[in-house]
Amino acid sequence: MMGGRRHNAQSLCKSRVGIAIAIGVLLGCVFALCFPNGFISISNPAPMLNRRFAHSIAQVGSTLCESSERLNMLKSEFVAASEENSELKKKVRELTEKFRLAEQRKDQAEKQVLVLGDQKKAGPFGTVKGLRTNPSVVPDESVNPRLAKILEKVAVNKELIVALANSNVKAMLELWFNNIKRVGITNYLVVALDEETARYCEAKDVPVYKRDPDKDIDSVARTGGNHAVSGMKFHILREFLQLGYSVLLSDVDIVYLQNPFNHLYRDSDVESMTDGHDNRTAYGFNDVFDEPKMGWARYAHTMRIWVYNSGFFYIRPTIPSIELLDRVAGRLSREPNSWDQAVFNEELFFPSHPGYDGLHASRRTMDFYLFMNSKVLFKTVRKNANLSKLKPVIVHVNYHPDKFPRMLAVVEFYVNGKQDALKSFPDGSE
């Protein structure tokens, strides 16, 4: 029994081995017929590898080429968009400027309508009043955003005192702002024309504005004398007015004894102190010119007034005021030898005539005892017991070259009560 079983198992094992060999041979034949060169041709593998490598390189090259073209396209689109953006910004600026001018015209037109639009009959005798106060311009902060921020902090009721100064007048400048502080005035600003003056004001806790560089006027600012610097102010003041602020322009040879803003009328484009020394010269008079050879018509009547002082005047932000600054600054640039005060008065007073359009600006002369020039003080006031008791708002040492010692004497007389402080000085510049 055991032998028979062992024989049967060996027979079964042999049959299985035979079947496996037969299947293997059969499969070998099938693969031989289907794949005569085998799965991988090892006779010459290089061509296939080269083809695959070349294909990969071609794909990479194609990708790089497409990326480069795409990058160039993006650059072109960016440049086009930038140009379009610049054009849009330009158009926006143009539209903004047109809108601003339209608003100005609208504001002025509304003011004019109050007088002219609603046509009325003239009232009773002595009651008719014309338009005196021109409307303010619409503030435009884009003119100078940095200055606009400073003025927002310094100005009171949209007005302030402004003085231009360089390092040549440091001693007078210090006396100037010390008296302003003593009176209690807070709305004042020094326009520093050089770095030294800017640093000096900052150290003294004085509000200061250092202009951005301007090659056309910076050389004058650094080294110019009184007249040269004085001529610059008409150019610089324009930005203050465009920003919507009224300016009390002040030279530094002025002693402040009271707050001037408490003594302004604000009913005109320009309110200025006078170089006149009495009622006639300050406020105007009828001067008769005599020409005997004309016989019956020998006497010709003329209207005379002494000039406004361009070193101390209050100017409102109106179109005529800005036109005045433009006219004066323009003439001074074309006529470098002209005196700024003469040009200032000519543009302010000369009427329209053939070949010339006069400026249509309203003006007011300040009280010459309150806003006093040094001729009035040293020639008249100090010698009169009653007048010497009056306390002016400011004293402008404009008639005398020895400015600083006279300014010190004014402080001694009016502030410290030293009665003989003014006596040692001559009337004029002897």
Side-chain angles (χ1 to χ4, degrees):
M1 288 296 291
M2 293 294 293
R5 290 176 180 173
R6 202 178 293 119
H7 176 73
N8 291 335
Q10 290 176 350
S11 298
L12 180 59
C13 182
K14 289 180 180 178
S15 63
R16 287 178 178 174
V17 171
I19 292 171
I21 292 172
I23 292 172
V25 171
L26 179 62
L27 290 173
C29 292
V30 172
F31 281 107
L33 290 173
C34 294
F35 304 98
N37 295 324
F39 284 108
I40 300 175
S41 178
I42 59 175
S43 59
N44 188 11
M48 180 176 289
L49 291 175
N50 288 339
R51 285 196 299 273
R52 289 184 177 180
F53 182 73
H55 179 65
S56 298
I57 293 297
Q59 287 181 329
V60 172
S62 176
T63 302
L64 290 175
C65 184
E66 291 177 0
S67 299
S68 179
E69 291 177 355
R70 179 61 177 166
L71 182 60
N72 290 334
M73 184 182 299
L74 289 173
K75 287 182 178 179
S76 299
E77 292 177 355
F78 177 77
V79 171
S82 298
E83 292 176 351
E84 185 178 356
N85 189 39
S86 298
E87 288 295 324
L88 288 174
K89 287 183 178 179
K90 183 179 179 182
K91 290 180 179 179
V92 168
R93 286 195 298 269
E94 292 176 351
L95 290 174
T96 302
E97 180 66 15
K98 290 180 179 179
F99 177 76
R100 184 180 64 81
L101 292 174
E103 286 293 319
Q104 290 178 3
R105 296 190 191 99
K106 176 185 175 184
D107 186 34
Q108 192 167 11
E110 288 175 350
K111 296 285 185 178
Q112 294 285 353
V113 163
L114 295 177
V115 176
L116 303 176
D118 186 13
Q119 295 183 340
K120 298 179 179 179
K121 293 181 179 180
F125 179 82
T127 64
V128 178
K129 298 290 183 181
L131 183 66
R132 285 173 172 79
T133 306
N134 283 303
S136 299
V137 299
V138 177
D140 182 9
E141 292 190 2
S142 66
V143 170
N144 191 331
R146 184 166 66 90
L147 178 58
K149 291 181 180 179
I150 295 174
L151 296 182
E152 186 176 354
K153 296 178 181 178
V154 174
V156 176
N157 297 326
K158 301 287 284 186
E159 58 186 12
L160 73 163
I161 300 171
V162 175
L164 278 65
N166 59 21
S167 56
N168 295 334
V169 294
K170 183 183 293 186
M172 282 195 295
L173 176 62
E174 183 175 11
L175 186 59
W176 178 85
F177 63 65
N178 281 342
N179 281 280
I180 283 181
K181 290 181 178 181
R182 181 184 51 78
V183 172
I185 302 169
T186 60
N187 51 330
Y188 69 101
L189 181 70
V190 174
V191 178
L193 302 177
D194 52 36
E195 290 293 343
E196 182 180 347
T197 302
R199 290 192 298 269
Y200 178 71
C201 289
E202 290 170 355
K204 295 292 185 178
D205 195 26
V206 171
V208 63
Y209 164 64
K210 176 65 172 66
R211 298 173 40 260
D212 292 330
D214 188 328
K215 63 180 182 180
D216 294 330
I217 60 178
D218 275 355
S219 60
V220 176
R222 290 190 299 270
T223 61
N226 289 341
H227 285 304
V229 172
S230 184
M232 293 173 52
K233 62 195 171 195
F234 300 98
H235 175 82
I236 295 174
L237 281 181
R238 192 185 205 278
E239 291 185 344
F240 287 80
L241 268 59
Q242 284 183 278
L243 293 171
Y245 290 85
S246 296
V247 173
L248 183 56
L249 190 280
S250 173
D251 284 351
V252 295
D253 57 345
I254 293 176
V255 177
Y256 285 77
L257 302 169
Q258 299 184 58
N259 190 330
F261 293 108
N262 297 333
H263 300 271
L264 297 174
Y265 286 80
R266 300 176 179 83
D267 63 347
S268 303
D269 296 306
V270 178
E271 195 168 342
S272 178
M273 74 171 295
T274 175
D275 274 0
H277 58 92
D278 56 22
N279 286 339
R280 295 175 73 252
T281 56
Y283 308 138
F285 62 102
N286 180 10
D287 186 36
V288 180
F289 176 77
D290 184 11
E291 191 176 8
K293 67 179 181 181
M294 287 298 296
W296 176 82
R298 62 181 294 180
Y299 300 110
H301 291 257
T302 68
M303 300 308 299
R304 298 277 301 277
I305 185 173
W306 284 30
V307 296
Y308 283 177
N309 191 289
S310 63
F312 189 87
F313 60 88
Y314 179 80
I315 186 166
R316 295 179 56 252
T318 66
I319 292 297
S321 295
I322 295 175
E323 184 182 357
L324 171 64
L325 298 180
D326 289 351
R327 285 181 177 223
V328 176
R331 278 191 56 185
L332 291 175
S333 65
R334 298 188 302 270
E335 306 167 14
N337 295 324
S338 296
W339 183 25
D340 69 282
Q341 181 161 291
V343 175
F344 174 70
N345 279 271
E346 288 171 2
E347 293 298 334
L348 195 54
F349 284 96
F350 280 177
S352 298
H353 54 262
Y356 175 79
D357 290 329
L359 180 72
H360 297 278
S362 56
R363 52 196 180 272
R364 170 180 281 274
T365 305
M366 293 177 173
D367 186 323
F368 67 90
Y369 282 130
L370 292 180
F371 299 90
M372 191 182 297
N373 61 58
S374 57
K375 180 176 182 177
V376 173
L377 176 61
F378 287 96
K379 186 179 178 181
T380 305
V381 170
R382 67 170 175 167
K383 301 174 183 179
N384 186 297
N386 291 325
L387 291 177
S388 61
K389 294 177 183 178
L390 299 175
K391 189 175 184 179
V393 176
I394 61 105
V395 174
H396 188 179
V397 187
N398 60 315
Y399 269 100
H400 301 87
D402 51 339
K403 297 178 181 297
F404 189 64
R406 289 185 186 249
M407 290 175 69
L408 292 173
V410 169
V411 175
E412 287 294 322
F413 182 79
Y414 284 108
V415 179
N416 299 327
K418 189 176 179 180
Q419 296 302 308
D420 61 346
L422 304 175
K423 290 183 178 179
S424 62
F425 297 94
D427 289 355
S429 54
E430 298 173 8

